[in-house]
């Protein structure tokens, strides 16, 4: 056989690893993510006495449930080859919307429902614009971000405390054994995992991310998939907004500040390349947990300065970007 | 066999683009159970015909019948649903998904509403086994050899209950063993009653696998023949549009003044992928023609010399000194310029003006800190607009808005302005009108007279004969022979291209 | 000579959407905002709404200049806001905590900006990482780095030279206006006075063709990111000087998005290729003018965000080829 240059030689080397029961190339980013997570966890467990307690695990989940929810939607968007910058502002909008509706005498349940509907509809609208007019996703969702943030601040610039028995009960559960936000995150992650892996829609998202033209030729209804992907992202962001109101007992228009950035970073660290077509929900959850672990570990290591957190995330991001670039091989030349 | 009801039939297909009749009343008939070769050089209209058959474009006139019924697919997906599947040279599947998923995307077996991954795997394995391919269906498609990817595309078509399978140059990136396996699968499909349209530029493969041959040229079908009764030389003559009598009779119209013996560029052992090793000499004031069918390695050779693609082994010498040629900047510094084959992707900068396009190479050589003034650029551009008769309202017109022939002249002007010592022209006359073509041919003569060494690639053998004093014929990535002086005849070139006299 | 007239028309044509938008804004203000065009000279200083717009628009104008270059090469730089924060932090800490001279602080800030640009350039041009991803790294980590410099505090300073950068006047004209004008002039000299502009446009329009024509496409791309980083650091100096402090958290927050909007509004092709520095500055002035106008009409700053969203969408749709094709068909 003629030896094909470059990329195949590399992939063949990796295939040999797999033949020996070790790895397949598409699993390398995920393996790296899980490896980093386990190493971090082990290091923390050894370095900090009492780290292996339910309390810490709880903190980890509670503290990152909202981010995790956003990341689930973002994972779909990124796998499809797009990006959604509007999620942070969407959190703020749904948070303040719910609080203000309850303040006006709404029952929290329909308020949640309306917030989720707005989130999904907003996402669907952006998806439609992106597809119908072939616009760059990051500009359209940027407009969405301005719109959500401006709208949220117009509803109220001040934080609104939510006073309703049901909401109070739910919020109190937050410090109980089954915090609602964590339940939402776990359920959403499970649903995301199943959808991505075991539904035709989920596989279509991957196909779309692998190449729009090929996907169309293979019979994927590109328009529908794109619209749904952004709708899911909007829905997840609105869910995160609900989680935020439960955690703080109030609605805040500035909630979710920079969450889009954290979410993109966590998803990429979770092994999903921004070029689309690959990635997994498991990786994303691992990415979110890495985020949480670093946050938990830093104060224990005596690093109380939050900026080291950003730098660490940036460094991890760089590492994963370079790893993914290396796996792609040198295109073109 | 003679009266078999045609499976797929096209009548009088016409497709007109501004300036070209890409399809000019083409007829095509495919019978069930046959492998049918569709042959033709660039611009012959075969890809347009295929697009019309598979719904990728709508013909301006004519009709397509499948099993006797008129069909008008509006997209490849719709054509697939009707039973016409296409496998492209560039595999149009999802490289990131597993082989199994590629076979069954959108039709995955489900249980309780969820995809039954095990059933997907089983069915995929069955499909591939049916094609005689053993491959791990769980691996991402992109990590499998191209041959398996092609087979996957075929497998997907089969699972869609295709009645007609169009294979568009499926073998161009396969090696011999992979090709043999593909042919095995194709034969067994035909034996099961499928109609297969096979597009290739490897003549040998036509005889290996096809029963009938349709030859196209200039948007028309020029011949439909049984492969058994069509000698190689005649097939080449049909494709290139020379009658056999002509082919035998045409000698070169005039003896060209022989080029000097001084070698401007010497390439030795150039090799990259399938192509090579190739040796060639370009002489000062001489034009060396590089002939051969598509895929014979003509373009690859020129690109290696110019550094557009790095050669894996071998060397390029200029004036006896070995010079690095990659990146292209280095080749240019050594006086080597390439007009690439794909004008749109690699030569024209569509948003920039004619003036900027022409000045680009000279400016790049001078460096960014020594700008050529706008006035000097305009003088330069206007000089070439006049001398090459580039039809443009002005030198400030964006080059992308010019016609193909004029864009080609702009690219030529870019390199003429750089005054190279060696000029490599890859299909410079493709897709442009007759007048512009004659001018470009004449220009090559002028350049030679000024001492430039020219490498001239063209699919038109006659043109190569007209322009060049020596011709190197390539076949399957190797030199098949070199002709010079009086020996450069259309017939001789074609004989080398067809590989007659060797194993048939 | 009709040809050069045509070239001039084309060059202006690229900036036309921004020019038209600014024109519309001015017309609106002429009709509905009393005193918008009034210019006063108080204490030998120029004042008035128009001056205010240009003065406040300077930061985005600087960012848009660099962004236009980067977008023209076919990329994008998401890190400019973070680079502003780093540059401001560098200058402020050098002066306030290390007792450096303000000139050294300015030089330090510019050097940091150039280094950040070089980092982005290395990732994009060297490693071949997608620009969005490559610059995301610095967007995420950059603010952390700035906070690291400032120790998480808002580092205040009171240095006549640094204060002068944003607050000073020369011949009655505010410094930010002069700096932005100077940057535009320098940018024009650098891109149109040399062949750099041609190379940038060729690279962004058809990278393979540019490479085959002998253009050093990687060096061109890297240069664009470095210039963008330097422009962002100047913007960071302005922002720090404005509040006489380095605020690592908020300096330049979300301004990368304004910069992209200004550049695209100013006629720079989002897919790379043609760019217009004049257009980028006009785009920035439009964004600031819009904000100021809404403010003068007592529209809440929050609604301004919504209007901005509309502007982003309008611009997207205006430059979308598919929309053009669609409108053309009707």
């Amino acid at each position: 056989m003629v030896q094909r240059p470059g990329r195949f030689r590399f992939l063949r080397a990796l295939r040999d690893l797999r033949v020996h029961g070790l790895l397949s190339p598409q699993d390398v980013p995920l393996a790296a993510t899980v490896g980093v997570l386990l190493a971090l966890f082990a290091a923390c467990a050894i370095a900090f006495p009492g780290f292996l307690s339910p309390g810490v695990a709880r903190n980890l989940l509670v503290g990152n449930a909202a981010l995790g929810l956003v990341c689930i939607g973002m994972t779909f968007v990124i796998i499809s080859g797009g990006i959604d910058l509007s999620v942070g502002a969407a959190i703020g909008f749904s948070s303040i919307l719910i609080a203000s509706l309850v303040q006006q005498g709404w029952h929290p349940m329909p308020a949640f429902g309306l917030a989720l509907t707005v989130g999904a509809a907003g996402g669907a609208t952006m998806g439609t614009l992106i597809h119908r007019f072939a616009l760059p996703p990051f500009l359209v969702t940027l407009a969405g971000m301005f719109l959500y943030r401006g709208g949220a601040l117009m509803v109220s610039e001040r934080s609104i405390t939510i006073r309703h028995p049901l909401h109070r009960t739910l919020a109190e559960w937050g410090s109980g054994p089954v915090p609602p936000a964590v339940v939402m995150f776990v359920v959403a992650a499970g649903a995301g995992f199943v959808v991505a892996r075991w539904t035709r829609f989920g596989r279509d998202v991957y196909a779309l991310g692998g190449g729009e033209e090929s996907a169309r030729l293979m019979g994927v209804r590109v328009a529908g998939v794109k619209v749904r992907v952004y709708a899911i992202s909007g829905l997840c962001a609105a869910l995160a907004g609900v989680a935020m109101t439960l955690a703080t007992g109030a609605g805040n228009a500035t909630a979710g500040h920079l969450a889009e950035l954290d979410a993109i970073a966590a998803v990429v660290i979770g092994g999903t390349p921004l070029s689309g077509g690959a990635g997994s929900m498991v990786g994303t959850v691992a990415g979110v947990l890495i985020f949480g672990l670093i946050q938990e570990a830093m104060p224990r290591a005596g690093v109380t300065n939050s900026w080291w957190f950003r730098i660490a995330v940036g460094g991890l991001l760089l590492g994963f970007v370079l790893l993914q670039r290396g796996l792609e091989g040198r295109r073109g030349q | 066999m003679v009266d078999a009801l045609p499976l797929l039939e096209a009548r009088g297909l016409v497709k007109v683009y501004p300036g070209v009749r890409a399809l000019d009343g083409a007829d095509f008939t495919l019978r069930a159970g046959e492998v049918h070769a569709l042959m033709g050089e660039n611009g012959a209209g075969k890809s347009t015909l295929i697009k019309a058959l598979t719904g990728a474009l709508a013909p301006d006139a004519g009709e397509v019948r499948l099993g006797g019924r008129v069909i008008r697919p509006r997209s490849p997906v719709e054509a697939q649903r009707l039973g016409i599947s296409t496998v492209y040279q560039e595999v149009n599947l999802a490289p990131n998904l597993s082989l199994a998923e590629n076979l069954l995307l959108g039709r995955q077996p489900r249980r309780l509403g969820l995809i039954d991954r095990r059933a997907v795997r089983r069915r995929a394995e069955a499909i591939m086994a049916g094609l005689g391919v053993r491959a791990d269906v769980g691996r991402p498609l992109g990590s499998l050899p191209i041959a398996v990817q092609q087979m996957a595309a075929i497998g997907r078509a089969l699972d869609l209950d295709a009645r007609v399978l169009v294979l568009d140059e499926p073998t161009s990136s396969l090696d011999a063993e992979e090709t043999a396996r593909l042919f095995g699968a194709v034969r067994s499909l035909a034996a099961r009653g499928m109609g297969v349209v096979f597009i290739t530029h490897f003549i040998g493969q036509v005889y290996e696998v096809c029963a009938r041959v349709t030859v196209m040229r200039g948007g028309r079908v020029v011949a439909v023949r049984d492969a058994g009764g069509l000698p190689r030389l005649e097939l080449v003559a049909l494709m290139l549009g020379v009658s056999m009598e002509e082919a035998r009779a045409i000698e070169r119209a005039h003896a060209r003044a022989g080029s000097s013996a001084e070698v401007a560029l010497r390439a030795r052992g150039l090799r990259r992928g399938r192509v090579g090793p190739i040796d060639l000499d370009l002489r000062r004031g001489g034009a060396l023609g590089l002939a051969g069918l598509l895929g014979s390695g003509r373009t690859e050779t020129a690109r290696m010399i110019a550094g557009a693609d790095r050669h894996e082994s071998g060397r390029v010498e200029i004036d006896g000194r070995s010079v690095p040629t990659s990146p292209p900047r280095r080749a240019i510094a050594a006086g080597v310029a390439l007009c690439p084959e794909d004008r749109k992707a690699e030569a024209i900068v569509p948003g920039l003006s004619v003036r900027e396009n022409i000045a680009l190479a000279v400016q790049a050589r001078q460096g960014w800190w020594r700008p050529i003034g706008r006035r000097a650029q305009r003088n330069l551009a206007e000089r070439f607009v006049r001398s090459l008769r580039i039809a443009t309202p002005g030198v400030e017109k964006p080059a992308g808005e010019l016609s193909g022939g004029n864009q080609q002249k702009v690219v030529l002007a870019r390199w003429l302005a750089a005054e190279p010592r060696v000029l490599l022209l890859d299909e410079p006359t493709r897709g442009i009108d007759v007048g512009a073509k004659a001018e470009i041919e004449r220009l090559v003569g002028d350049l030679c007279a000024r001492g430039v060494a020219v490498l001239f690639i063209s699919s038109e053998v006659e043109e190569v004969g007209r322009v060049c004093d020596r011709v190197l014929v390539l076949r399957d990535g190797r030199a098949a022979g070199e002709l010079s002086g009086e020996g450069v005849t259309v017939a001789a070139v074609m004989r080398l291209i067809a590989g007659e006299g060797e194993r048939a | 000579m009709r040809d050069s007239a045509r070239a001039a028309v084309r060059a202006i044509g690229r900036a036309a959407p921004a020019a038209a938008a600014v024109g519309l804004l001015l017309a609106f203000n002429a009709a509905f905002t009393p005193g918008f065009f009034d210019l006063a000279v108080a204490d030998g200083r120029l004042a008035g709404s128009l001056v205010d717009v240009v003065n406040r628009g300077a930061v985005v104008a600087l960012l848009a200049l660099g962004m236009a270059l980067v977008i023209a090469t076919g990329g994008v730089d998401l890190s400019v806001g973070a680079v502003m924060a780093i540059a401001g932090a560098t200058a402020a800490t050098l002066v306030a905590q290390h007792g450096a001279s303000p000139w050294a602080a300015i030089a330090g800030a510019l050097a940091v900006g150039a280094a950040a640009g070089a980092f982005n350039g290395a990732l994009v041009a060297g490693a071949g990482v997608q620009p969005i991803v490559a610059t995301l790294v610095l967007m995420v980590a950059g603010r952390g780095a700035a906070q690291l410099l400032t120790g998480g505090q808002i580092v205040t300073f009171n240095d006549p030279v640094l204060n002068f950068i944003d607050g000073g006047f020369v011949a009655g004209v505010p410094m930010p206006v002069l700096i932005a004008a100077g940057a535009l002039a320098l940018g024009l000299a650098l891109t149109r006075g040399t062949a750099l502009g041609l190379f940038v446009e060729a690279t962004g329009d058809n990278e393979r063709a540019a490479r085959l024509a002998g253009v050093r496409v990687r060096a061109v791309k890297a240069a664009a990111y470095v210039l963008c980083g330097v422009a962002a650091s100047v913007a960071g100096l302005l922002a720090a000087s404005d509040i006489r402090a380095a605020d690592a958290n908020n300096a330049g927050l979300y301004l990368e998005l304004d910069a992209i909007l200004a550049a695209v509004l100013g006629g720079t092709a989002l897919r790379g290729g043609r760019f217009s520095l004049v257009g980028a500055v006009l785009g920035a002035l439009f964004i600031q003018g819009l904000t100021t106008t809404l403010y003068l009409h007592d529209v809440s700053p929050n609604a301004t965000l919504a209007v901005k969203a509309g502007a982003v969408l309008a611009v997207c749709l205006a430059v979308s080829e598919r929309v053009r094709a669609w409108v053309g068909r009707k």
Side-chain angles (χ1 to χ4, degrees), chain B residues 307-308 328-329 332 340 344-353 356 360-361 363-364 368 371 374 378 394-396 398 415, chain C residues 1 3-4 6-8 10 190 192-196 198-199 201-203 205-206 208-216 274:
Chain B
R329 177 162 46 86
I332 294 166
K344 203 169 147 204
E346 295 203 316
I348 274 290
V349 184
L352 295 189
S353 66
E356 289 164 309
L360 187 59
Q363 181 66 71
W368 68 277
R374 182 180 278 261
R378 189 159 43 232
V395 295
E396 297 303 332
W415 292 117
Chain C
M1 283 305 97
D3 233 28
S4 68
R6 212 175 272 136
R10 278 185 197 281
L190 204 55
R192 302 305 180 191
T194 74
L196 187 61
L198 175 67
F199 291 171
E201 290 180 331
T203 302
D205 199 357
N206 189 342
R208 287 165 69 189
R211 177 172 169 269
L212 283 181
V215 177
R216 311 172 70 129
R274 289 294 197 186

Side-chain angles (χ1 to χ4, degrees), chain A residues 15 198 200 203 218 277, chain B residues 96 101 108 115 139 156:
Chain A
R15 180 183 62 187
W198 277 296
R200 288 186 181 170
R203 304 322 291 175
M218 289 171 83
Chain B
N96 54 322
E101 292 201 271
Q108 299 101 328
I115 293 173
R139 283 185 42 202
R156 185 174 165 82

Side-chain angles (χ1 to χ4, degrees), chain A residues 2-332:
Chain A
V2 175
Q3 183 81 7
R4 253 172 288 281
R7 134 193 184 94
F8 286 105
R9 208 171 295 155
F10 178 68
L11 291 174
R12 276 191 189 140
L14 280 168
R15 180 183 62 187
D16 292 342
L17 271 181
R18 186 188 141 96
V19 168
H20 299 295
L22 291 172
L23 264 183
S24 77
Q26 79 272 28
D27 296 334
V28 171
L30 180 59
T33 304
V34 174
V36 168
L37 177 64
L38 292 180
L40 253 165
F41 195 77
C44 288
I46 294 166
F48 316 124
F51 197 83
L52 288 171
S53 73
V56 173
R58 214 188 108 85
N59 275 353
L60 208 59
L61 286 173
V62 172
N64 293 288
L67 174 65
L69 280 165
V70 175
C71 286
I72 288 159
M74 186 69 82
T75 305
F76 280 108
V77 174
I78 293 180
I79 290 175
S80 81
I83 199 154
D84 187 351
L85 296 180
S86 73
V87 290
I91 293 176
F93 186 77
S94 64
S95 159
I96 198 72
L97 177 68
I98 291 165
S100 119
L101 288 175
V102 174
Q103 191 183 36
Q104 287 161 36
W106 283 46
H107 188 272
M109 277 313 180
F112 290 162
L114 184 65
L116 298 183
T117 312
V118 169
T125 309
M126 288 186 276
T128 308
L129 284 171
I130 289 165
H131 178 75
R132 181 70 188 80
F133 299 112
L135 300 178
F138 90 95
L139 276 183
V140 173
T141 56
L142 168 63
M145 168 173 143
F146 285 149
L147 206 58
Y148 275 132
R149 198 60 89 187
L153 288 164
M154 278 195 275
V155 173
S156 168
E157 287 188 37
R158 292 215 191 110
S159 162
I160 302 175
T161 309
I162 301 177
R163 296 173 209 286
H164 190 279
L166 173 70
H167 197 270
R168 195 173 309 129
T169 315
L170 285 173
E172 275 163 8
W173 285 356
S175 45
V178 216
V182 175
V183 173
M184 282 158 63
F185 171 46
V186 171
V187 170
F193 180 69
V194 170
V195 168
R197 223 175 134 73
W198 277 296
T199 65
R200 288 186 181 170
F201 164 72
R203 304 322 291 175
D204 285 354
V205 174
Y206 282 85
L208 178 59
E212 185 165 340
E213 195 47 41
S214 298
R216 183 170 298 133
L217 283 172
M218 289 171 83
V220 172
R221 286 172 206 279
V222 173
V225 174
K226 264 196 201 171
V227 170
R228 277 185 280 172
V229 156
Y230 287 93
I232 289 174
S233 179
L235 181 70
C236 285
L239 270 174
V242 171
M244 288 275 205
T245 66
L246 292 177
T248 59
N252 192 336
T254 58
H257 177 62
L258 288 182
E260 61 280 344
L261 212 54
D262 287 346
I264 294 168
V267 170
V268 172
I269 290 173
T272 301
L274 273 180
S275 42
S280 71
M281 220 39 86
V282 175
T284 292
V285 171
V288 173
L289 291 180
I290 289 177
F291 242 72
L293 265 183
I294 298 175
Q295 262 168 333
E296 284 284 316
M298 281 194 159
R300 282 163 215 267
V303 182
T304 48
N305 302 326
S306 63
W307 51 86
W308 280 112
F309 173 67
R310 303 233 126 256
I311 294 172
V313 170
L316 268 178
L317 199 57
L318 178 63
F320 276 88
V321 164
L322 290 178
L323 172 73
Q324 283 159 6
R325 187 69 192 92
L327 284 176
E328 279 173 41
R330 296 199 70 82
R331 292 178 292 210

Side-chain angles (χ1 to χ4, degrees), chain C residues 15 50 82 325:
Chain C
L50 274 180

Side-chain angles (χ1 to χ4, degrees), chain B residues 246-294:
Chain B
E246 262 184 301
R248 296 202 178 88
I250 294 177
E251 293 300 315
R252 289 189 328 118
H254 53 91
R256 191 173 294 280
S259 53
S260 70
E262 194 187 333
V263 174
L265 180 145
R266 173 176 289 134
R268 287 292 173 268
L270 288 187
R271 177 183 204 122
R272 180 185 167 91
R274 277 189 322 106
V275 176
I278 296 214
D279 297 345
L280 59 80
D281 291 342
L282 299 180
R283 301 207 172 116
R284 270 178 55 86
L288 174 70
L290 212 47
L293 294 176
L294 267 176

